[in-house]
């Protein structure tokens, strides 16, 4: 393992993508994720990869469709408004069973919104983004090192299940620097090996492959979707990840993801110092949502508090996951305002955490 | 032990660079570190600030609202942030650029004519480094080898000839009494 | 005398196109070029949304189905990852010149080494004959029931003329397939597009003026007459740009 250096979350993620063999990156500038494109524009030509700045987010995601369809690991990145533009392409990629990685470094919305950190696109991302019956894998890092680790895992999961995987970050994680380390392994660009479905020229040695999401016969489309949902079941059974801190004896379990989980952790650390039995539960996978892990974490809790940089979106999944077995309250800031640990602590106390 | 720095000034004064230098010094001294810039259009010449945390424990919030160490390089930042410093904390003020003084008695204020010192010593544009040197000194992070390594890491290879001047600026800051 | 048979690059599937539609001829020309160049195993085709949406069932090479208008972006993705493969798109006028204009123009100006086959029949065929970007002034369609009024609906888009202004374009040629002489010219143009691609010489677009008897409400023969009398005057046939953008020495050989 090489010496640690300080990197911005966006840059660490970009470097990790290269190291995962991501051969092609198709992007479009938008704050606060532009460092990903800038970094890869520098690095890609040095390692035999492709960096292409597309004419729009719409074009970028469709370039990903074409590249992924030919069996090559590829990625695009954007921030909230740009992800809305990509929604069409994401749906087609899911419908054609193609693996790819999409980065969303969230900012405040709706509309042009703002450029400060936000988690207001939880619904959009975890519910698939575009039209149709489908899921995409969503990983939510909370440190710069995890920005790197999540992108590696995203590529692996995308290939394993032939579906898009998203790394969902926010402006705070994208812009901050923390120590990160990469091993010294040589960078090897991916090829289409192990992907017999790829449309990359049949070399007169097999029947032609077709990458497609169109099925005009309703029963055929239903069968395709049902088969896909069988795979989703595997994803839900095998791929959930979460981190629970101090939940064993906690009266109040705070649930938060991404950078908000760090803020919640600071609040919970302070609460413990003050003798309040609080814990923090951080889903690392948002789809699949860590239902079993959350139920384990709250088994001794009286109440649950969800903290988000939004008006409350993940809270729905939290309530569903625990089947409303306990009161679930909410604290959030939105529009790019970052909740202060002291505010979260005050909410914990208000919920009776100081009894 | 946790130090929470807030560095503020105008874009172009090297606020982010000074923050990065402190972060690397912390990293090489074996601390957990985080660095968070303000970002957006204000980077291009407007006000600019960054939060740096050095800690013995994993860092929760990288955003610092109440610093234990404040560094300011213009009057608007001084006015805006001086009240936010935690009691018992320290403020490092470029007194060449900042008008006025603080009447807070619960924090320690250092008035350092960093910009003037830089100009007098042929170190134009390195007031940020002088201030960073003073801050490192006051938090007790004074290992020369660590600081030099941090500086080397922060200065891009094509500006390697500036290393010596930067080291000089750092020492000026560390040796400043007042 | 060469034997007249189905090109290998076409599958055995029955084409679903209407009687008198020229899609079948253009499919055949593309397939013949692929056969003659011996590149079927190294070719990836990208289909549009429109009447030729299911062209992936008709071509024997690997195929991808793009969303509406995005075929040039999809083709770019394939080509950048696989620069030695042949990549073509097959698109209609709504797909290429309305919803996908941005993708078309930018693939062209990048000089993307792909070949675009553009079917211009002045109507949205698959959805039942609405106004297309190429619908002629005065032309009656489902959504211009009083005829295209240029004061309200604006003017038709002349893609070859427009794209010929871009430095990335190696070939922009407008052809038609209404008689054997024109069919031969069309095939030569398609072949040239693939040759430019082979030598990595830039973007090529071959616009094929085509008929849509069903939505025009004409017999196939009347449709050909309309194409000759109304379309060609507005969309003159010919070469709008021809010349390698890069690797010029390969062109000379």
């Amino acid at each position: 393992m090489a010496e640690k250096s300080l990197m911005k979350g966006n840059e660490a993620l970009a470097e990790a993508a290269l190291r995962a063999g991501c051969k092609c990156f198709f992007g479009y500038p938008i704050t606060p994720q532009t460092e990903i494109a800038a970094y890869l524009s520098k690095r890609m030509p040095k390692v035999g990869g492709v960096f292409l700045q597309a004419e729009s987010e719409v074009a970028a995601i469709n370039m990903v469709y074409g590249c992924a369809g030919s069996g090559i690991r590829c990625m695009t990145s954007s921030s909230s408004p740009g992800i809305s533009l990509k929604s069409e392409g994401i749906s087609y990629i899911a419908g054609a069973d193609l693996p790819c990685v999409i980065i969303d470094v969230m900012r405040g919305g709706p509309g042009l919104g703002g450029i400060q950190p936000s988690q207001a696109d939880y619904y959009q991302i975890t519910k698939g983004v575009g039209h149709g019956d489908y899921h995409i894998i969503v990983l939510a890092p909370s440190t710069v090192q995890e920005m790197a680790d999540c992108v590696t895992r995203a590529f692996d999961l995308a290939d394993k299940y032939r579906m898009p995987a998203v790394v969902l970050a926010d402006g705070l994680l994208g812009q901050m620097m923390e120590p990160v380390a990469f091993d010294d392994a040589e960078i090897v660009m991916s090829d289409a090996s192990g992907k017999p479905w790829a449309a990359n020229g049949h070399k007169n040695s097999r029947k032609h492959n077709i990458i497609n999401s169109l099925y005009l016969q309703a029963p055929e489309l239903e069968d395709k979707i049902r088969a896909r949902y069988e795979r989703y079941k595997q994803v839900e059974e095998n791929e959930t990840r979460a981190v629970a801190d101090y939940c064993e004896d906690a009266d109040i379990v705070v649930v938060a993801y991404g950078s908000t989980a760090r803020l919640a952790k600071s609040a919970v650390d302070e609460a413990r110092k003050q003798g309040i039995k609080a814990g923090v539960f951080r889903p690392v996978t948002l789809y699949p949502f860590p239902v079993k892990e959350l139920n384990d974490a709250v088994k001794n809790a009286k109440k649950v508090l969800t903290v988000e940089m939004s008006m409350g979106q993940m809270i729905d999944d939290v309530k569903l996951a625990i089947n409303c077995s306990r009161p679930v309250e909410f604290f959030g800031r939105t529009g790019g305002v970052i909740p202060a640990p002291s505010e979260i602590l005050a909410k914990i106390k208000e919920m009776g955490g100081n009894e | 032990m946790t130090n929470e720095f807030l560095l503020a000034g105008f874009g172009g004064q090297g606020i982010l660079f000074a923050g990065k230098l402190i972060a690397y010094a912390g990293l090489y001294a074996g601390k957990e570190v985080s660095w968070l810039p303000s970002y957006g259009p204000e980077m291009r010449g407007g006000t600019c600030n960054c939060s740096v945390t050095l800690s013995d424990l994993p860092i929760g919030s990288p955003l610092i609202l109440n610093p234990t160490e404040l560094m300011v390089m213009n009057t608007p930042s001084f006015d805006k942030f001086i009240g936010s410093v935690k009691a018992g904390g320290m403020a490092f003020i470029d007194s060449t650029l900042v008008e006025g003084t603080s009447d807070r008695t619960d924090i320690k204020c250092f008035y350092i004519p960093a910009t003037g010192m830089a100009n007098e010593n042929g170190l134009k544009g390195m007031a940020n480094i002088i201030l960073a040197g003073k801050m490192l000194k006051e938090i007790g992070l004074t290992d020369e080898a660590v600081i030099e390594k941090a500086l080397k890491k922060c200065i891009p290879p094509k500006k390697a000839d500036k290393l010596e001047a930067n080291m000089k600026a750092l020492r000026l800051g560390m040796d400043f009494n007042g | 005398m060469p034997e007249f048979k189905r090109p290998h690059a076409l599958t055995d599937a029955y084409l679903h196109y209407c009687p008198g539609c020229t899609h079948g001829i253009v499919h055949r020309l593309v397939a013949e070029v692929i056969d003659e160049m011996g590149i079927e195993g190294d070719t990836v085709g990208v289909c549009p949304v429109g009447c030729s949406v299911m062209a992936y069932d008709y071509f024997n090479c690997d195929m991808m189905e793009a969303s509406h208008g995005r075929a040039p972006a999809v083709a770019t993705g394939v080509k950048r990852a696989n620069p030695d493969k042949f990549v073509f798109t097959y698109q209609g006028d709504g797909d290429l010149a309305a919803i996908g204009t941005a993708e078309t123009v930018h693939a062209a100006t990048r000089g993307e080494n792909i070949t675009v086959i553009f079917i211009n029949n002045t109507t949205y065929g698959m959805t039942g004959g609405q106004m297309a970007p190429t619908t002629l002034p005065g032309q009656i369609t489902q959504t211009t029931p009083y005829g295209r009024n240029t004061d309200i609906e604006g003017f038709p888009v002349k893609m070859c003329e427009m794209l010929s202004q871009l430095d990335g374009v190696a070939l922009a040629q407008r052809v038609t397939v209404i008689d054997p002489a024109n069919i031969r010219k069309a095939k030569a143009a398609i072949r040239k597009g693939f040759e430019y691609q082979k030598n990595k010489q830039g973007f090529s677009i071959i616009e094929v003026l085509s008929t849509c008897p069903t939505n025009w409400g004409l017999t196939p023969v009347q449709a050909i007459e309309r194409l000759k009398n109304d379309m060609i005057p507005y969309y003159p046939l010919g070469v709008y740009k021809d010349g390698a953008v890069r690797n010029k020495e390969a062109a000379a050989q």
Side-chain angles (χ1 to χ4, degrees), chain A residues 276-292:
Chain A
I276 300 164
K277 285 187 177 175
V280 57
F281 180 84
R282 174 166 77 87
V284 178
T285 50
L286 299 178
Y287 178 83
F289 197 76
V291 174
K292 191 178 148 292

Side-chain angles (χ1 to χ4, degrees), chain C residues 42-59:
Chain C
D42 291 309
T43 298
V44 180
V46 184
C47 309
V49 171
C51 282
S52 50
V53 66
M54 285 182 294
Y56 51 75
D57 281 334
Y58 305 144
F59 287 103

Side-chain angles (χ1 to χ4, degrees), chain A residues 23-24 26 50-56 58-59 62-67 69-70 72 88 92 198-204 206-214 216, chain C residues 11 40-44 49 53-54 56-68 70 73-74 76-78 80-83 85 102-104 106-107 110 112:
Chain A
K23 185 179 176 187
C24 299
F26 305 100
V50 172
F51 168 86
L52 187 61
Q53 181 171 325
E55 62 270 29
S56 68
V58 177
N62 281 284
M63 290 171 186
V64 164
Y65 177 97
C67 184
S70 76
I72 301 295
E88 174 202 59
Y92 278 70
N200 59 348
H202 57 54
K203 287 277 171 203
N204 305 315
R206 58 163 165 76
K207 205 172 163 290
H208 70 156
N209 282 336
I210 297 171
I211 301 297
N212 181 30
S213 61
L214 176 68
L216 289 176
Chain C
T11 64
E40 187 191 305
D42 291 309
T43 298
V44 180
V49 171
V53 66
M54 285 182 294
Y56 51 75
D57 281 334
Y58 305 144
F59 287 103
N60 241 330
C61 54
D62 279 357
M63 296 295 290
M64 291 194 194
E65 168 53 38
S67 57
H68 203 19
R70 316 300 174 218
V74 172
T76 297
V78 182
R80 292 290 176 132
N82 305 274
K85 305 292 177 190
E103 285 77 8
T104 306
H106 285 275
R110 282 193 303 268
E112 211 63 62

Side-chain angles (χ1 to χ4, degrees), chain A residues 245-284:
Chain A
D245 281 316
Y246 322 122
C247 289
E248 271 302 309
D249 67 341
D251 293 329
I252 295 177
V253 168
V254 182
V255 184
Y257 71 96
S259 58
T260 307
R262 308 169 63 113
L263 312 172
K265 176 75 169 25
S266 291
V268 165
D269 281 337
E270 187 55 35
R272 284 274 164 176
K273 272 188 211 162
Q274 297 182 19
I276 300 164
K277 285 187 177 175
V280 57
F281 180 84
R282 174 166 77 87
V284 178

Side-chain angles (χ1 to χ4, degrees), chain A residues 25-282:
Chain A
F25 175 86
F26 305 100
Y28 189 82
I30 179 171
T31 306
Q33 63 79 48
T34 307
E35 292 83 3
I36 297 173
Y39 188 90
L40 289 172
S41 69
K42 233 184 219 175
R43 288 281 279 143
M44 276 296 196
K46 308 274 187 201
V47 295
V50 172
F51 168 86
L52 187 61
Q53 181 171 325
E55 62 270 29
S56 68
E57 279 100 345
V58 177
I61 191 72
N62 281 284
M63 290 171 186
V64 164
Y65 177 97
C67 184
S70 76
I72 301 295
R73 278 191 169 186
C74 57
M75 179 171 103
T76 184
S77 71
S78 194
S79 178
S80 309
I83 295 292
S84 294
L85 282 170
K86 289 185 195 294
S87 59
E88 174 202 59
I90 295 171
S91 172
Y92 278 70
I93 290 169
D97 297 315
L98 298 179
C100 71
V101 172
I102 299 153
I103 311 302
D104 183 3
V105 184
M106 288 182 282
R107 57 188 257 180
L112 206 43
I115 59 170
Q116 299 305 320
S118 168
Q119 296 179 320
D121 302 335
Y122 179 91
Y123 283 150
Q124 181 190 33
I125 290 291
T126 61
K127 310 308 170 199
V129 187
H131 61 282
D133 254 344
Y134 70 96
H135 288 295
I136 54 179
I137 291 165
V138 183
L139 307 179
S142 84
T143 65
V144 170
Q145 182 68 55
E146 261 192 8
M147 289 282 269
D149 299 343
C150 277
V151 83
T152 312
R153 183 153 185 257
F155 274 108
D156 291 343
L157 291 176
D159 275 352
K160 183 172 174 189
Y161 296 102
R162 282 186 65 182
M163 60 193 287
V166 172
V167 177
L168 186 65
D170 59 63
L172 192 74
L173 284 169
Q175 296 294 324
M176 69 184 288
M177 287 203 293
E178 279 185 317
V180 59
F182 293 99
D183 61 31
D184 300 321
E186 195 191 341
I187 292 174
V188 182
M189 288 293 150
S190 69
D191 57 27
S193 54
K195 296 177 178 173
W197 45 263
N200 59 348
H202 57 54
K203 287 277 171 203
N204 305 315
S205 62
R206 58 163 165 76
K207 205 172 163 290
H208 70 156
N209 282 336
I210 297 171
I211 301 297
N212 181 30
S213 61
L214 176 68
Y215 299 94
L216 289 176
Q217 301 306 318
E220 192 188 4
L221 180 56
E222 186 186 42
D223 286 349
K224 279 275 166 192
I225 293 168
R226 284 192 184 282
R228 210 168 281 136
Y229 270 73
E230 284 302 312
R231 260 186 295 142
Y232 296 157
K233 213 153 89 185
Q234 297 291 314
V235 174
E236 287 164 16
E237 277 168 17
N238 301 322
E239 307 300 348
T240 56
R241 296 286 185 281
V243 177
D245 281 316
Y246 322 122
C247 289
E248 271 302 309
D249 67 341
D251 293 329
I252 295 177
V253 168
V254 182
V255 184
Y257 71 96
S259 58
T260 307
R262 308 169 63 113
L263 312 172
K265 176 75 169 25
S266 291
V268 165
D269 281 337
E270 187 55 35
R272 284 274 164 176
K273 272 188 211 162
Q274 297 182 19
I276 300 164
K277 285 187 177 175
V280 57
F281 180 84
R282 174 166 77 87

